[in-house]
Amino acid sequence: MAKNTSLYFRIVEGRSLPVKDVSGTSDPYCIVKVDNEVVARTATVWKNLNPFWGEEYTLHLPTGFHSLSFYVMDEDTIGHDDIIGKISLSKDAIGAKVKGLDNWLNLTRVDPDEEVQGEIHFGLELLKDAKGIGLRCHFIEARDLAPRDISGTSDPFARILFNNHSAETSIIKKTRYPHWGETLELELETEELSEGGTVTVEVWDWDMVGKNDFLGKVEIPFACLHKTPLVQGWFRLLPLGNNEDDAGGKLGALRLKVRLVEDHILPSMYYQPLIDLLVQSVISPAEVEDGSPLTMLEEVTTVESRQDVAMTLVKIYLGQGLVVPFLDYLNTREVNHTLDPNTLFRSNSLASKAMEQFMKAVGMLYLHEVLKPIINRIFEEKKYIELDPCKIDLNRTRRISFKGALSEAEVRESSVEMLQGYLSNIVESIIGSVTQCPPVMRVAFKQLHKRVEEQFPKPENEDVKYLAISGFFFLRFLAPAILTPKLFHLRDQHADTRTSRTLLLLAKAVQSVGNLGLQLGHGKELWMEPLHPIILYSVASVKDFLDKLIDIDSVSEVPQRAVFLPSVTVKEGYLQKHKAESPQLLSRFSFKKRYFWLSSETLSYAKTPDPWQVRSSIPIQCVCAVERVDENAFQQQHVLQVVTQDNDGQMHTIYTQCKNVNELNQWLSAIRKASIYNRRMLPSFHPGAYRSGKWTCCLQADRATSGCSRTHSAVTLGDWSDPLDPDAETQTIYKQLLQGRDKLSIQVASNLSLSPPDGADCSVELLKHRQAAAVRLLGVVLDLEQAHATFQRQEREEAGSLILTP
């Protein structure tokens, strides 16, 4: 039984941060670490002691983790950034909150003795013979130690301590991956055998000047050596254990939302009955539409979990090749239950959420093609734009005129002109993108158009069929992406204050276009009136676009393992590629700018993105590791390596450098997802480079020696491009049904002989269908619950037998 761990965290905001700059303020940003590996960095909020970030992340961790840490930093233009404070959460503390953590937490001081990481490999043996009693420790190696020196490495040595006895290994200089291969022995007295106590193994960084730096420790109860004379393996290094001091809130606080989801995934055969029920709901819908298992699932899920359920169902039906019938089923039910066309899809129903998640799953690349050029232009131009008279700041207009500050009327006039230009570009990009829109998305809109037209055929409801589509396409897809481009991966950073205001005004205008201009002049924002003419002018073009969008024959869906097609580029952009053929060059000159493309089949690159450029390609099926590179390997930050194996079994490594840690994590995650089904993934790798006849990480001379650090092939950031995993997705639906088991039981036990309550919109036939659906679902839930219990019992028994085996 496989185990999946997903960690969801949102860095909301900070408050009362201390002043770090001479200007009387700070420039805070957050770094997030999982077990001391940086997984995210927020944007910097300049000159603000109460910053708002609102950034959220999902991290998939196949083997779990120990701690999640948030570091608040102050960015400095010159010199090193200052550490303001940290918040560290253990896995157990996060897991204890069933619904997740959502709270303000005080920042604590950063203690170097608590900032430890890595593991040590040693064997500990209790010796008893005629010569006497002793304690033998064989120090083999260590990995991923904390860097304590300015070079980004350490000079580690190990020490064993018991009572008043101690011994030390030799010092291995300039490495975080030392190989000792040394055996140390402590001579013990007979009376010490009866004592309790603890054997402590410590790792230190040797310093020529000043005191040595602590790198971590392992504690083994002496009693364990009586039961098991030889204790050997990899052990996680732990901090000294000093109590964290939150400084009484003097360092400020962060508001965090954190949720841990751990699932035990059963073999596929156990989930098939639930898959069959979900498939049956859309292939052969019941005559009484409220009586299907899919309907019952919506009723037993909570409003808070509806978005997760919607995304999971979209992925399940994508995997089955039935996403269009699934959406058609939900939309038909929603339309048929709507009497007033003005309220159509206004609620957060499963149908609305499913359409939203579907557009993100299949339309994100299309969204980038339509919006990214215009969004990039807005970010680059950074124009001051404002229409609201109450918010116009004439002091900000001096930069746009050499004649001094403009008048309020001139600011509004220039703002209208620039917004009209941006809006025209966006509308033109949209109406010219019919053929770029994914066919499956167009067919889903076609079905929606048909259902709405059937429900509201009267002439006065002519626009409803357009509004149903544009409500999703413009209001729930395009406008949110324009408003917050970072959340849709259109930009790496959040917009500054000036650009954010431009994007907000533009998103409002796009919403009005999506509403076909029907609500213009009815709101409170009358200062948007100068944009009304161009909005109304765009309505005819938008309707024509929607007509062309749904003018498509039905496409046959193919069950798929990924949400993107093999030939589709899922990520692209400039990176710095290392010139492996020129080892004599200095590190900073050995990286050359290249444009990279990633699809599910190849990772390719060329000098520029121009189509005539010759591309070099790496087959994804040859990838066997995608990992970070230590900074000291090339004296460069944010470097990743892609290790491949050719048909002759030869290993090759390509090194590329990213602009920042977020881009690094995105490329790592994207390539790992593309290669997730590869069979030749390596268990270990070298985080350094082979230079001057040795590896820079572990200092080993043999180029072919096994890696000195564990790979992280399945550690990925969750987003729209996550590969489909039918078993994990069905497990999520099972958990939702398990939480709603009581509601299903009530439905099963309902007395059909009783008359429906007065005013209830139901019948005996409907109740029978609902009861039958509840019986089937409840049966599947109980079977899965029993299967989980059986597998967990077997795991406990196997774990117990391993402990008892000498």
Side-chain angles (χ1 to χ4, degrees), residues 122-126 136 224-225 227-232:
F122 66 85
L124 190 62
E125 184 178 8
L126 181 61
R136 176 184 294 165
C224 289
L225 296 173
K227 299 177 183 178
T228 307
L230 176 62
V231 176
Q232 183 171 327

Side-chain angles (χ1 to χ4, degrees), residues 185-305:
E185 291 190 10
L186 302 179
E187 294 183 2
L188 306 182
E189 302 295 332
T190 305
E191 57 270 18
E192 291 181 283
L193 288 177
S194 59
E195 296 181 6
T198 300
V199 180
T200 303
V201 171
E202 298 177 343
V203 184
W204 291 81
D205 166 53
W206 176 81
D207 284 334
M208 181 179 295
V209 180
K211 66 176 185 177
N212 297 331
D213 300 313
F214 181 71
L215 292 176
K217 68 176 182 178
V218 177
E219 293 182 338
I220 306 290
F222 191 69
C224 289
L225 296 173
H226 289 294
K227 299 177 183 178
T228 307
L230 176 62
V231 176
Q232 183 171 327
W234 282 98
F235 297 87
R236 177 172 168 252
L237 291 169
L238 300 175
L240 281 175
N242 298 333
N243 293 326
E244 290 187 343
D245 175 21
D246 69 1
K250 294 180 180 178
L251 298 179
L254 285 184
R255 186 185 170 200
L256 301 172
K257 293 184 178 182
V258 184
R259 182 163 58 95
L260 175 66
V261 177
E262 290 187 296
D263 283 325
H264 289 82
I265 310 300
L266 298 169
S268 300
M269 57 180 288
Y270 291 93
Y271 295 111
Q272 195 58 46
L274 181 51
I275 290 286
D276 291 342
L277 283 180
L278 295 175
V279 168
Q280 182 186 1
S281 294
V282 301
I283 289 182
S284 304
E287 293 183 7
V288 182
E289 61 180 20
D290 285 333
S292 75
L294 195 54
T295 303
M296 299 301 298
L297 171 62
E298 180 177 10
E299 293 181 5
V300 301
T301 55
T302 62
V303 176
E304 295 80 12
S305 65

Side-chain angles (χ1 to χ4, degrees), residues 412-613:
R412 281 174 55 80
E413 183 180 347
S414 66
S415 297
V416 169
E417 183 179 348
M418 286 184 284
L419 282 173
Q420 286 176 336
Y422 291 144
L423 184 59
S424 295
N425 292 152
I426 288 178
V427 172
E428 288 172 6
S429 181
I430 293 170
I431 63 178
S433 68
V434 172
T435 57
Q436 297 169 268
C437 187
V440 68
M441 196 165 161
R442 296 176 63 185
V443 173
F445 286 143
K446 179 179 181 178
Q447 290 295 105
L448 175 60
H449 180 276
K450 177 183 176 183
R451 302 306 179 193
V452 174
E453 194 172 37
E454 291 171 348
Q455 179 71 2
F456 302 103
K458 295 181 179 180
E460 60 265 28
N461 294 325
E462 172 68 21
D463 286 335
V464 177
K465 59 190 178 185
Y466 292 111
L467 289 168
I469 300 174
S470 64
F472 287 116
F473 189 75
F474 284 89
L475 277 64
R476 300 198 184 206
F477 191 44
L478 296 177
I482 293 170
L483 182 63
T484 53
K486 184 179 187 297
L487 301 185
F488 287 77
H489 305 292
L490 289 164
R491 296 288 297 186
D492 292 333
Q493 297 286 346
H494 285 300
D496 57 26
T497 304
R498 174 178 291 192
T499 306
S500 290
R501 183 61 181 170
T502 300
L503 295 173
L504 174 61
L505 295 172
L506 199 53
K508 288 177 181 290
V510 170
Q511 284 180 328
S512 297
V513 171
N515 282 324
L516 306 182
L518 297 177
Q519 298 178 3
L520 293 181
H522 298 293
K524 298 179 180 179
E525 299 172 341
L526 298 179
W527 40 265
M528 290 285 289
E529 188 175 340
L531 292 179
H532 290 182
I534 189 172
I535 292 172
L536 293 172
Y537 178 78
S538 303
V539 169
S541 299
V542 167
K543 283 186 176 181
D544 182 61
F545 162 74
L546 296 176
D547 284 331
K548 291 178 180 177
L549 195 67
I550 62 174
D551 184 15
I552 183 174
D553 295 330
S554 296
V555 293
S556 57
E557 291 185 66
V558 178
Q560 49 193 104
R561 300 276 288 185
V563 297
F564 47 84
L565 298 174
S567 59
V568 172
T569 299
V570 294
K571 188 166 182 61
E572 61 182 294
Y574 277 108
L575 296 174
Q576 299 288 333
K577 179 184 174 294
H578 181 252
K579 294 183 65 175
E581 67 277 9
S582 303
Q584 72 277 8
L585 292 176
L586 293 175
S587 295
R588 64 177 179 272
F589 298 121
S590 62
F591 284 85
K592 295 297 181 181
K593 192 174 183 179
R594 294 293 182 266
Y595 198 87
F596 280 77
W597 296 265
L598 172 68
S599 73
S600 60
E601 293 182 337
T602 61
L603 175 65
S604 55
Y605 57 91
K607 287 186 177 181
T608 67
D610 298 311
W612 49 266
Q613 284 281 356

